[in-house]
Amino acid sequence: MMRLLVATTNLSKFEEAVSSLRDAYLEIVGLNYFMNITIVSETGETFEENAILKAKGYFDQTRVPTIADDGGLVVDVLGGAPGVHSHRWLGYDATAEELAEAIIEKMKGVPREKRTARLGGTIVFWDGTHLLKRETWIYGYIAERVVGEVKPGFPYRPILIIPEFEKPYSELTEEEHEKVNFRRTNLRVLKPEIIKLLLKDSD
């Protein structure tokens, strides 16, 4: 069975990837599967650069074909912030709740038409030779308050209203979520090519 590394320690993100990539040919593992992994620094200036850094960095350590992603929230009126710093712009110790509340605070007094934002990012596959990449965004606007629970690893879902459904991303049904989830969309598109490359490498 072919092994594929999904380069994350976030259980929710790992489960999303597994559900999108599930295949009889694949054994999908996360970073926790390996001992003595060194965290790859996200020093890129774009989501794509960071995703590539992580995919190549973890492949180099494990020699297992690797999928890595980088994404976040881009708020237009904030000049694209928090952007590539989405999960660390308040420092590495900030909680998901603090990140969400900070955006709401910065948007106080901003009218609806100027609260536009997008959530998404880039996913990359690297097997030492082949590089695949895909970027997808979910467009909406920032709510005036945090709606519902802020889950670890997903600080901005409760504050991004999806116009198609007129409710925050965090409140979408499973069916609605499946339609707009950028990570699952990226993986569904890349999956056939990933399987093709893995099968080729196993010949």
Side-chain angles (χ1 to χ4, degrees):
M1 182 177 289
M2 299 172 298
R3 184 172 293 167
L4 178 67
L5 170 62
V6 175
T8 183
T9 56
N10 183 305
L11 181 60
S12 295
K13 291 181 179 180
F14 179 75
E15 289 176 345
E16 278 189 356
V18 170
S19 68
S20 300
L21 292 167
R22 197 181 307 278
D23 189 279
Y25 296 105
L26 290 179
E27 177 190 3
I28 303 172
V29 298
L31 289 176
N32 294 332
Y33 180 87
F34 300 92
M35 297 181 64
N36 303 317
I37 287 288
T38 299
I39 298 300
V40 175
S41 298
E42 300 177 32
T43 57
E45 296 183 0
T46 65
F47 295 118
E48 181 179 314
E49 288 177 3
N50 279 334
I52 291 173
L53 283 171
K54 289 190 284 187
K56 291 187 173 182
Y58 291 120
F59 174 83
D60 288 344
Q61 294 184 62
T62 64
R63 310 311 296 177
V64 174
T66 300
I67 284 174
D69 79 274
D70 191 47
L73 181 71
V74 174
V75 182
D76 296 319
V77 76
L78 299 181
V84 293
H85 305 296
S86 288
H87 294 282
R88 56 189 185 277
W89 66 292
L90 295 182
Y92 285 93
D93 295 329
T95 66
E97 289 85 354
E98 289 170 339
L99 291 169
E101 291 287 358
I103 293 293
I104 296 297
E105 181 66 27
K106 285 182 174 291
M107 298 292 283
K108 276 190 174 179
V110 177
R112 160 70 179 82
E113 64 272 14
K114 293 185 178 180
R115 301 178 75 89
T116 52
R118 56 191 168 103
L119 183 66
T122 303
I123 285 183
V124 166
F125 167 85
W126 174 249
D127 63 0
T129 303
H130 306 97
L131 180 70
L132 303 176
K133 56 188 178 181
R134 167 84 182 186
E135 183 174 282
T136 300
W137 294 95
I138 305 161
Y139 292 86
Y141 62 92
I142 301 298
E144 294 186 358
R145 61 181 179 85
V146 177
V147 183
E149 180 186 3
V150 183
K151 294 183 179 181
F154 301 110
Y156 305 117
R157 289 184 177 184
I159 65 171
L160 183 70
I161 305 297
I162 310 300
E164 180 180 354
F165 308 109
E166 277 305 320
K167 57 184 175 181
Y169 188 4
S170 60
E171 299 293 308
L172 299 184
T173 65
E174 183 61 31
E175 182 179 353
E176 292 166 345
H177 185 265
E178 187 70 22
K179 289 178 64 177
V180 301
N181 182 288
F182 81 92
R183 189 171 289 104
R184 293 184 184 183
T185 299
N186 284 339
L187 289 173
R188 279 197 300 268
V189 173
L190 290 181
K191 179 180 176 179
E193 190 64 22
I194 290 171
I195 297 294
K196 180 180 177 181
L197 288 173
L198 292 175
L199 285 172
K200 179 180 178 182
D201 290 341
S202 67
D203 289 343

